């Protein structure tokens, strides 16, 4: 395993990873690699109203008590909701009593919002006290828990202790740049021990803290193995994935879950679509999940796009540029394509040339931006009737707002367009007021 670490380091230094190219021949020998309002309806309506009440209270609490932005609070309220401040107040008081700053607490809640509904006295306090009893100083405790709040979701005892120690070791190692012998100091045996040992190996190879800690608290089995983990890691390195990216971790997960025969079958399915082996490897590096799709799903994907009017050549071009196309449902592709082509009048070829537009959320990105364009067209404010699909959908929010919203002198129009863009028509008056100041 240590030789693999050294090999990984060497590749990082000499190839800088993202320029590393690997011959497909490594894996071609032998395999492709290797009725109206019933009582139930009324009850559902009451439940819905109660849910909205809890949602609104949660948002207000998060904004007032933690200083979170409204959009952040709304996002958190989709994961956890409460209708009184009793328990959340107890949790916040407990954290502050252990030395956590307001900034650390805000970060903790953003990462692990469920903490607010845990029992402060019976669940959280004993865990914090336990960590202190094993030698955690106040500064160590706040720094370590802030880095990985979800460890407080682990059971008190050996498991919590070991995870806490791992996080602390990684934090300290990053500060001192010393992590040479840690992966040799742990005994082999349980899945938990294997997990920590494997995570230390990944840390040595350059996998960043945020990805390591996500793996630490996850239930993924790929980081708990031994020989299979080593084999999967070797393949990910040889293919040329950059270990500093989330794609490397995803590829490792995918490779761990597939046998060489399974990978070969997926490759054969892709080849039957007209893709070359090199194409499939390039697609895998862009989107590792392609190899998690069934052979039937891969082979049937072409029918979806042919049915929407794309040619086979356009389909192949699209999946090479944006492999995620293969993973989408027929209904979703139909809905998005019809909106772009039928409602917005962009030619089908424009969609085919920039297939990533099919990956954008209709509700959050595509429809709001297109509605802005519709308003501008209706008012005759665009030089060309319909801008290119790329400038409307692929540009960043700042660029889009600069090009189509903020450049107008009419403040009322700008406020109207901003409300359409954000989907926040309720705040239209506030936006006008701010623009006039």
């Amino acid at each position: 395993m240590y030789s693999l670490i050294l090999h990984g380091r060497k590749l990082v230094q000499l190839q800088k990873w993202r320029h590393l190219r690997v011959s497909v021949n490594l894996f071609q020998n032998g395999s492709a690699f290797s009725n109206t309002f019933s009582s139930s309806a009324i009850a559902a309506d009451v439940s819905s109203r109660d849910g909205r009440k809890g949602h609104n209270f949660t948002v207000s609490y998060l904004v007032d008590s933690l200083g979170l932005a409204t959009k952040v609070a709304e996002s958190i309220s989709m994961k956890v909701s409460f209708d009184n401040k009793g328990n959340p107040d107890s949790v916040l008081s407990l954290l502050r009593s252990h030395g956590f700053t307001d900034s650390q607490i805000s970060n903790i809640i953003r990462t692990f919002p469920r903490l607010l509904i845990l029992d402060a006295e019976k669940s959280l306090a004993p865990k914090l006290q336990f960590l202190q009893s094993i030698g955690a100083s106040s500064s160590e405790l706040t720094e370590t828990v802030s880095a990985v709040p979800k460890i407080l979701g682990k059971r008190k005892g050996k498991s919590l202790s070991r995870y806490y120690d791992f996080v602390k070791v990684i934090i300290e190692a990053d500060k001192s740049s010393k992590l040479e012998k840690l992966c040799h100091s742990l005994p082999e045996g349980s899945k938990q021990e294997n997990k920590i040992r494997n995570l230390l190996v990944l840390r040595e190879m350059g996998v960043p803290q945020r990805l390591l800690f996500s793996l630490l608290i996850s239930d993924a089995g790929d980081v708990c193995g031994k020989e299979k983990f080593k084999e999967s890691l070797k393949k990910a390195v040889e293919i040329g994935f950059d270990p500093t990216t989330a794609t490397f971790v995803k590829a490792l997960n995918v490779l761990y879950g597939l046998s060489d025969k399974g990978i070969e079958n997926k490759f054969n399915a892709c080849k039957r679509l007209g893709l070359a082996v090199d194409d499939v490897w390039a697609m895998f590096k862009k989107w590792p999940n392609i190899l998690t799709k069934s052979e039937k799903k891969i082979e049937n994907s072409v029918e979806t796009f042919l049915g929407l009017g794309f040619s086979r050549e356009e389909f192949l071009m699209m999946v090479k540029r944006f492999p995620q196309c293969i993973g989408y449902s027929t209904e979703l592709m139909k809905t998005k394509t019809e909106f772009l082509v039928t409602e917005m009048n962009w030619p089908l070829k424009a969609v085919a040339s920039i297939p990533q537009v099919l990956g954008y959320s209709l509700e959050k990105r595509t429809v709001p931006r297109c509605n802005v364009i519709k308003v501008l067209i209706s008012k005759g404010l665009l030089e060309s009737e319909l801008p290119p699909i790329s400038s409307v959908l692929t540009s960043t929010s700042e660029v889009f707002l600069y090009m189509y919203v903020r450049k107008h002198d009419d403040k009322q129009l700008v406020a109207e367009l901003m409300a359409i863009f954000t989907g926040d028509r309720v705040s239209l008056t506030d936006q006008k007021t701010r623009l006039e100041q």
Side-chain angles (χ1 to χ4, degrees):
M1 180 69 82
Y2 192 64
S3 63
L4 181 58
I5 296 174
L6 294 178
H7 178 56
R9 284 178 172 174
K10 184 176 181 181
L11 285 175
V12 171
Q13 294 169 355
L14 299 180
Q15 305 292 344
K16 295 184 180 179
W17 289 96
R18 59 185 65 176
H19 299 299
L20 178 65
R21 294 183 179 180
V22 178
S23 170
V24 186
N25 292 332
L26 282 170
F27 310 110
Q28 283 183 318
N29 294 329
S31 71
F33 169 19
S34 26
N35 299 13
T36 55
F37 296 102
S38 64
S39 59
S40 60
I42 295 173
D45 182 60
V46 171
S47 176
S48 176
R49 280 187 275 114
D50 288 344
R52 287 194 296 271
K53 178 182 177 182
H55 169 83
N56 293 334
F57 181 87
T58 303
V59 172
S60 297
Y61 182 88
L62 294 171
V63 172
D64 297 339
S65 300
L66 294 172
L68 298 179
T70 301
K71 284 197 173 182
V72 175
E74 288 175 343
S75 176
I76 291 175
S77 70
M78 302 301 290
K79 302 173 184 176
V80 63
S81 181
F82 42 86
D83 54 15
N84 69 78
K85 64 179 184 177
N87 199 80
D89 274 354
S90 297
V91 171
L92 299 186
S93 295
L94 176 65
L95 293 175
R96 292 186 176 115
S97 70
H98 280 79
F100 289 90
T101 66
D102 288 344
S103 176
Q104 288 174 325
I105 292 173
S106 293
N107 288 331
I108 287 171
I109 300 306
R110 278 197 290 264
T111 304
F112 189 39
R114 195 168 67 85
L115 199 70
L116 289 173
I117 60 174
L118 295 181
D119 192 307
E121 181 179 349
K122 296 180 180 179
S123 178
L124 296 178
K127 293 176 182 178
L128 293 172
Q129 292 164 1
F130 170 76
L131 292 174
Q132 289 178 321
S133 73
I134 60 174
S137 67
S138 178
S139 61
E140 288 176 342
L141 179 66
T142 56
E143 183 178 26
T144 304
V145 172
S146 295
V148 192
K150 289 185 180 180
I151 63 173
L152 291 180
K154 299 296 180 181
R155 292 183 180 180
K156 185 185 73 173
K158 190 174 181 180
S159 175
L160 176 60
S161 174
R162 184 170 284 128
Y163 284 167
Y164 176 86
D165 287 342
F166 172 81
V167 176
K168 186 174 71 172
V169 163
I170 294 298
I171 291 175
E172 292 302 316
D174 280 349
K175 289 178 180 178
S176 63
S177 300
K178 293 180 181 179
L179 198 60
E180 293 293 333
K181 299 180 180 180
L182 285 174
C183 58
H184 301 291
S185 64
L186 292 168
E188 297 187 22
S190 70
K191 288 185 177 180
Q192 192 180 65
E193 289 164 341
N194 287 339
K195 174 186 278 192
I196 294 178
R197 177 184 293 276
N198 292 340
L199 290 178
L200 287 171
V201 169
L202 293 176
R203 181 65 190 88
E204 277 281 74
M205 297 182 69
V207 177
Q209 271 191 21
R210 61 184 176 82
L211 298 178
L212 289 176
F213 294 159
S214 295
L215 288 170
L216 177 68
I217 51 83
S218 77
D219 296 321
D222 51 320
V223 290
C224 297
K226 291 179 65 177
E227 292 305 316
K228 179 66 172 175
F229 171 82
K230 193 183 299 185
E231 293 171 6
S232 303
L233 184 58
K234 183 175 184 293
K235 291 174 181 178
V237 168
E238 290 176 332
I239 293 169
F241 282 98
D242 181 349
T244 66
T245 67
T247 309
F248 174 85
V249 175
K250 184 59 190 177
L252 184 61
N253 174 265
V254 171
L255 292 169
Y256 187 90
L258 289 170
S259 64
D260 284 358
K261 182 64 177 176
I263 295 176
E264 182 179 15
N265 291 338
K266 304 297 176 71
F267 266 70
N268 288 336
C270 289
K271 287 163 69 177
R272 286 192 287 272
L273 293 178
L275 294 162
V277 173
D278 287 12
D279 295 331
V280 184
W281 280 124
M283 291 162 63
F284 177 63
K285 290 190 68 175
K286 289 180 181 179
W287 189 55
N289 270 346
I290 188 173
L291 294 188
T292 66
K293 303 305 173 183
S294 68
E295 291 116 84
K296 182 178 180 180
K297 174 68 175 176
I298 293 172
E299 292 182 27
N300 289 346
S301 60
V302 65
E303 300 303 327
T304 294
F305 289 89
L306 293 179
L308 292 171
F310 295 98
S311 68
R312 180 174 287 272
E313 290 72 24
E314 286 173 330
F315 166 73
L316 293 175
M317 177 182 69
M318 291 169 72
V319 296
K320 290 177 187 179
R321 294 180 179 180
F322 190 62
Q324 289 90 328
C325 286
I326 286 180
Y328 294 134
S329 69
T330 299
E331 189 60 35
L332 183 61
M333 289 297 91
K334 180 180 179 181
T335 300
K336 291 186 175 183
T337 302
E338 287 183 348
F339 178 83
L340 296 172
V341 177
T342 305
E343 186 158 343
M344 290 304 297
N345 293 318
W346 277 305
L348 202 61
K349 287 186 178 296
V351 178
S353 65
I354 311 176
Q356 60 264 40
V357 298
L358 294 173
Y360 298 145
S361 167
L362 276 176
E363 179 183 356
K364 296 179 180 179
R365 187 182 187 114
T366 304
V367 171
R369 292 191 180 202
C370 289
N371 283 343
V372 168
I373 299 302
K374 286 180 179 180
V375 170
L376 295 176
I377 291 176
S378 70
K379 295 179 180 290
L381 294 174
L382 289 178
E383 294 180 2
S384 61
E385 275 297 290
L386 183 65
I389 192 171
S390 57
S391 70
V392 176
L393 296 182
T394 65
S395 59
T396 64
S397 293
E398 282 303 309
V399 170
F400 178 86
L401 290 173
Y402 174 78
M403 293 175 64
Y404 298 110
V405 178
R406 293 180 178 141
K407 71 175 185 178
H408 300 288
D409 296 327
D410 187 335
K411 293 180 179 180
Q412 184 174 351
L413 173 62
V414 173
E416 178 186 350
L417 295 175
M418 281 296 298
I420 294 172
F421 179 77
T422 62
D424 187 13
R425 297 182 181 275
V426 177
S427 63
L428 182 56
T429 302
D430 293 337
Q431 291 185 38
K432 289 181 182 177
T433 302
R434 288 197 297 272
L435 287 165
E436 292 168 357
Q437 291 176 345

